[in-house]
Amino acid sequence: MENTNRSNENDFINFFRGLDEKYQQFLINEMKKPPDEENQSTEAASAGLVGDPKSR
């Protein structure tokens, strides 16, 4: 089972290395950003509105 995970990791690394250097840096910077709080609050606010028994 561990070999499968390692293989997937190696596949990703090989894929990433094949990308343009500027795009690699862009992706690294995007991964470093904290999660967007606005999107999470929107999802939580809309949860339960459609199909919720309380809304019927």
Side-chain angles (χ1 to χ4, degrees):
M1 189 64 94
E2 278 187 44
N3 291 340
T4 303
N5 291 337
R6 186 55 130 176
S7 176
N8 290 339
E9 184 178 323
N10 288 337
D11 289 344
F12 175 77
I13 291 171
N14 289 333
F15 165 76
F16 191 80
R17 286 181 179 161
L19 298 175
D20 181 66
E21 192 173 322
K22 289 180 182 180
Y23 192 62
Q24 288 178 356
Q25 192 59 48
F26 169 77
L27 292 176
I28 291 169
N29 291 337
E30 287 296 309
M31 287 187 276
K32 287 181 181 178
K33 288 182 181 179
D36 187 10
E37 295 295 327
E38 185 178 321
N39 286 344
Q40 291 176 357
S41 65
T42 302
E43 289 174 9
S46 64
L49 294 180
V50 177
D52 188 349
K54 294 178 185 177
S55 66
R56 292 182 191 167

